[in-house]
């Protein structure tokens, strides 16, 4: 059984310290394990850790490791045989991630948060935080925090990117960069299913690197790929109905998987009151920002431009995939042209009279969505000029506070609402605080949530923060995204999750 998929953007490295994008994370997830992991419902579960306890002051986490875990067989070990995982490997991996010499893009996950990480014995890891930070377990589930052996890193040096050695369900067999990546089943993998059968079920995974989504889709239709992650826009209408279901003619030939993803798509508004851009713009007025939120129909936009993929963002900034999402407690914005008109009049622009043109910067992939919004805003008297720029330029201008009104997207790094609320914490730079939102009340709630030990209490704090953000409207939420996969009907056991990780441990393929 070989599971075949394609990565149009390629894979730059198999070193988890550099797992900065989805393509790398998917491959790394097959090769390595972390102390904890998320299940399909985004609940944290043990992985390499068998259990953990937290001190009363919430600063110290003590992890007990599983005892039956071995690294892959590899020439870096004596006689080429993988050795048992030890607590010292966790210490080494975390310190390596934090070491400036590693230059990991994931170093931020620990910087300023970790006081020390120690291994009092081979099966115990003690992680001490500088101050309480409840989302730390979610951070430990990130691919950056995968556990690597010192022997492999030292043996291969910079070439460790091509010689991964982990504890994961698959190990590297061959990597012809730009052509194909072959992973094969790890016969010594420690996990078993509920019936006691060894995981994974698959014999191998083959990743190809066709750089065209259209070509990828055609390869899938011809049976040479088992999955397509997302679909080329040119083929969406051919395969999907307006409601996001599979068209009848594809039934039995394609299986469709849709699931909520921790991804918020939005328009951002610069809030830095010291900026000349803000001082000269009507966007400095809360009523205008709220009117923009009310003057377009999110549901119609998704129906006609995205085949209903995604959930209209009519509540807060925290996406619907997270358990703390609560539209009853967090009122957002719905299409209400009369309400938008009242707000414009309150702001001194009745019917849009006297309101200057507002420039919206977006990227090519979102040009049609921006144009849809602009047309509907025009009906309310809000004139928006859509400027399409390259993604690299938009990232640069938003980081420098040079974009007043811009397209934004925030994909969760770990499954905690704190990750979304960090976008508005005033002490954070850009990223993540691209809008330069500042509120003393919000900051106090945010810091309280980091200390709060009760889950229900944290949920209420996050809802209050989200409501405060919506009232000030530094963003225009568009939709909570959904991940879409097209699968061969023979693929079974490919479970979805809100982080859109490729989880292949329980996957199997019926006879082709």
């Amino acid at each position: 059984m070989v599971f075949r998929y394609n990565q149009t953007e390629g894979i730059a490295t198999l070193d988890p310290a550099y797992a900065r994008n989805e393509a790398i994370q998917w491959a790394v997830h097959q090769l390595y394990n972390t102390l904890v992991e998320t299940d399909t419902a985004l609940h944290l579960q043990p992985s390499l850790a068998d259990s953990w306890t937290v001190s009363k002051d919430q600063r110290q986490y003590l992890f007990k490791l599983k005892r039956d875990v071995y690294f892959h067989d590899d020439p870096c070990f004596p006689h080429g045989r993988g050795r048992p995982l030890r607590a010292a490997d966790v210490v080494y991996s975390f310190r390596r991630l934090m070491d400036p010499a590693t230059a990991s893009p994931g170093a931020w996950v620990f910087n300023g948060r970790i006081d020390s990480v120690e291994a009092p014995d081979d099966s115990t890891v003690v992680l001490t935080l500088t101050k309480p930070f409840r989302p730390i377990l979610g951070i430990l589930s990130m691919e950056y925090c995968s556990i690597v052996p010192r022997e492999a890193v030292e043996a291969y040096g910079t070439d460790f990117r091509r010689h991964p050695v982990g504890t994961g369900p698959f190990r590297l067999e061959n990597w012809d960069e730009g052509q194909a990546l072959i992973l094969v089943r790890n016969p010594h993998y420690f996990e078993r299913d509920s019936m006691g059968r060894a995981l994974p079920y698959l014999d191998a995974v083959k990743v190809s690197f066709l750089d065209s989504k259209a070509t990828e889709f055609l390869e899938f239709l011809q049976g040479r790929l088992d999955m397509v992650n997302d679909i080329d826009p040119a083929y969406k209408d051919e395969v999907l109905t307006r409601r996001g279901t599979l068209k009848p003619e594809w039934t039995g030939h394609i299986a469709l998987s849709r699931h909520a993803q921790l991804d918020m798509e939005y328009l951002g508004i610069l809030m830095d009151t010291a900026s000349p851009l803000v001082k000269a713009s009507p966007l400095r007025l809360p009523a205008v920002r709220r009117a923009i939120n009310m003057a377009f129909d999110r549901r119609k936009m998704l129906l006609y431009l995205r085949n209903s993929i995604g959930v209209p963002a009519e509540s807060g900034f925290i996406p619907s995939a997270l358990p703390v999402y609560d539209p009853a407690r967090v009122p957002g914005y719905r299409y209400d042209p009369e309400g938008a008109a009242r707000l414009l009049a309150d702001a001194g622009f009745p019917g849009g009279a006297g309101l200057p043109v507002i420039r919206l910067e977006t990227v090519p992939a979102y040009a049609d969505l921006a144009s849809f919004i602009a047309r509907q805003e025009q009906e309310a008297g809000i004139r928006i000029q859509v400027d399409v720029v390259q993604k690299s330029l938009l990232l640069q201008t938003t980081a420098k506070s040079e974009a007043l009104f811009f397209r934004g997207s925030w994909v969760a790094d770990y499954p905690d609402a704190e990750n979304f609320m960090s976008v508005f914490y005033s002490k954070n730079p850009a990223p993540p605080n691209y809008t330069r939102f500042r509120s003393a009340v919000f900051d106090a709630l945010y810091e309280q949530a980091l200390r709060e030990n009760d889950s229900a209490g944290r949920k209420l704090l996050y809802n209050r923060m989200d409501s405060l953000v919506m009232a000030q409207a530094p963003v225009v939420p568009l939709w909570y995204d959904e991940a879409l996969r097209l699968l061969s009907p023979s693929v079974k056991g490919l479970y979805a999750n809100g982080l859109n990780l490729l989880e292949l441990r329980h996957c199997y393929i019926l006879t082709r």
Side-chain angles (χ1 to χ4, degrees), residues 198-349:
L199 296 175
Y201 304 135
L202 293 170
D203 296 310
V205 179
K206 179 182 179 181
V207 187
S208 56
F209 299 106
L210 302 167
D211 60 5
S212 164
K213 288 294 289 184
T215 303
E216 175 188 79
F217 180 67
L218 294 173
E219 287 286 294
F220 171 74
L221 291 183
Q222 292 170 20
R224 289 194 280 269
L225 293 174
D226 295 303
M227 180 191 74
V228 170
N229 182 52
D230 204 359
I231 182 173
D232 186 85
Y235 293 100
K236 268 197 169 78
D237 290 334
E238 180 181 335
V239 176
L240 303 176
T241 67
R242 287 287 186 202
R243 298 293 178 183
T245 58
L246 204 63
K247 286 190 171 180
E249 58 264 35
W250 294 106
T251 302
H253 303 285
I254 295 176
L256 174 66
S257 169
R258 282 177 59 180
H259 61 275
Q261 188 175 0
L262 296 185
D263 179 0
M264 160 56 77
E265 300 293 322
Y266 68 97
L267 304 179
I269 301 170
L270 187 63
M271 301 282 285
D272 184 358
T273 55
S275 168
L277 280 175
V278 175
K279 290 179 180 178
S281 172
L283 291 176
R284 72 186 186 280
L285 303 173
V288 174
R289 300 195 296 269
R290 293 175 190 140
I292 290 173
N293 266 286
M294 294 172 132
F296 75 102
D297 191 336
R298 294 164 174 82
R299 298 185 182 194
K300 184 180 287 187
M301 179 180 69
L302 290 181
L303 178 66
Y304 288 107
L305 297 181
R306 287 185 51 83
N307 297 82
S308 301
I309 301 301
V311 177
E314 296 177 339
S315 181
F317 196 78
I318 294 173
S320 56
L322 279 172
V324 302
Y325 170 79
D326 192 343
R329 291 183 179 274
V330 185
Y333 296 95
R334 293 195 175 194
Y335 181 49
D336 183 2
E338 291 81 12
R342 288 192 297 270
L343 286 167
L344 285 180
D346 292 344
F349 306 106

Side-chain angles (χ1 to χ4, degrees), residues 389-509:
V389 299
Q390 292 304 310
K391 184 178 180 179
S392 58
L393 178 60
L394 186 57
L395 288 173
Q396 181 181 346
T397 55
T398 51
K400 294 180 178 180
S401 294
E402 295 173 352
L404 181 65
F405 191 29
F406 54 91
R407 177 262 171 182
S409 174
W410 191 254
V411 182
D413 299 298
Y414 44 91
D416 195 289
E418 179 274 336
N419 196 232
F420 288 90
M421 293 295 93
S422 69
V423 172
F424 306 103
Y425 185 50
S426 70
K427 296 179 184 178
N428 283 339
N433 191 356
Y434 288 111
T435 65
R436 301 305 198 276
F437 181 79
R438 182 178 294 274
S439 165
V441 175
F442 179 94
D443 288 353
L445 292 171
Y446 178 86
E447 291 167 1
Q448 183 182 349
L450 296 184
R451 300 187 299 269
E452 178 60 57
N453 199 34
D454 177 65
S455 296
R458 291 182 76 223
K459 179 182 185 297
L460 291 176
L461 290 168
Y462 285 137
N463 292 157
R464 287 177 62 190
M465 280 185 269
D466 212 0
S467 296
L468 191 155
V469 169
M470 288 301 101
Q472 291 298 311
V475 291
V476 180
L478 301 179
W479 70 87
Y480 314 119
D481 209 2
E482 290 182 305
L484 181 147
R485 294 175 181 173
L486 300 179
L487 302 171
S488 163
S490 62
V491 173
K492 306 296 178 183
L494 187 62
Y495 302 126
N497 58 79
L499 292 169
N500 200 32
L501 276 175
L502 182 61
E503 184 52 74
L504 294 175
R505 281 173 291 183
H506 292 86
C507 180
Y508 62 96
I509 298 173

Side-chain angles (χ1 to χ4, degrees), residues 97-112:
L97 186 64
M98 292 185 283
D99 187 348
T102 305
S104 167
W108 65 269
V109 305
F110 285 159
N111 285 350

